[in-house]
Amino acid sequence: MSRKPFKFKQFDIFQDNTAMKVGTDGVLIGSWTNIYNGNKILDIGTGTGLVSLMLAQRFPETIIDAIEIDESAYLQAIENFQNSIFKQRLKVFNTPIQEYNPNEKYDLIVSNPPFFNVNDLVEFDTRKQARQQTTLTFSELLDKTSLLLNRNGVASFVIPYDQKDLYIDIASKRSLYISRILYVRGNKNSSLKRVLLEFSFDQKEIVEEDELIIELDRHQYTDEYINLTKEFYLKM
């Protein structure tokens, strides 16, 4: 049986050996996040490598390290990196982020992990926890982010909307302060499901807040969504 990748304008994503498929969340964070200083990027929970490849395309001077704990996704990311024109600037490591201890810090940390949707104030259901190879709580992710981020760097995440306030609170306890927010709706009548958050070590007097609606109707995309993603999607 032939393998058909998900084709973007400058790279392909094979995803046949992992459950972590190309999705809107990854495309959004890869299109929206920015690097303002330096050239070192860390992608936590890279899956197939989609976000890393998008950032490699957007920022041609950057060096990108990616972390992926799931072995099948890790192997798929290697394949996608090696098949790309950006392969010299991409590395992927098969390790939990909790155990990742590089010798340098990063100018941008980005994450679209397959969150086990946990409120840090509530205990895990032990049966659900047993089905997880590992669990990554918001606290653990933000602990590591605060340790690995350069003083002038930024960190960007995509998370469920109903976890926003909790996430911002946990981050602030680690001296990471919100600087940009993008609220995402599927269409103008749908409820908020996702939010993109950018943090830095500097507290901003004014937080930049925007809202993005993806579709006007089924497969009819808004101008805002097209403008954000047109450098990647073939048909945008």
Side-chain angles (χ1 to χ4, degrees), residues 110-166:
V110 62
S111 187
N112 172 34
F115 273 121
F116 180 50
N117 193 10
V118 177
N119 185 315
D120 281 30
L121 304 178
V122 180
E123 290 186 8
F124 293 153
D125 178 288
T126 54
R127 187 169 57 87
K128 290 180 180 178
Q129 189 178 27
R131 290 202 298 267
Q132 294 293 117
Q133 188 175 28
T134 188
T135 54
L136 178 62
T137 66
F138 288 168
S139 294
E140 289 173 319
L141 178 57
L142 289 164
D143 278 342
K144 206 67 179 184
T145 297
S146 67
L147 289 172
L148 296 180
L149 188 65
N150 271 328
R151 180 65 185 83
N152 295 320
V154 295
S156 298
F157 308 91
V158 53
I159 65 168
Y161 170 72
D162 62 5
Q163 300 289 298
K164 175 181 74 74
D165 291 342
L166 173 66

Side-chain angles (χ1 to χ4, degrees), residues 8-9 11 31 54 57-58 229-234:
F8 290 89
K9 286 182 177 177
F11 57 85
S31 301
M54 292 178 72
Q57 176 182 324
R58 288 181 61 205
T229 62
K230 65 184 178 181
E231 297 304 314
F232 302 102
Y233 284 129
L234 287 175

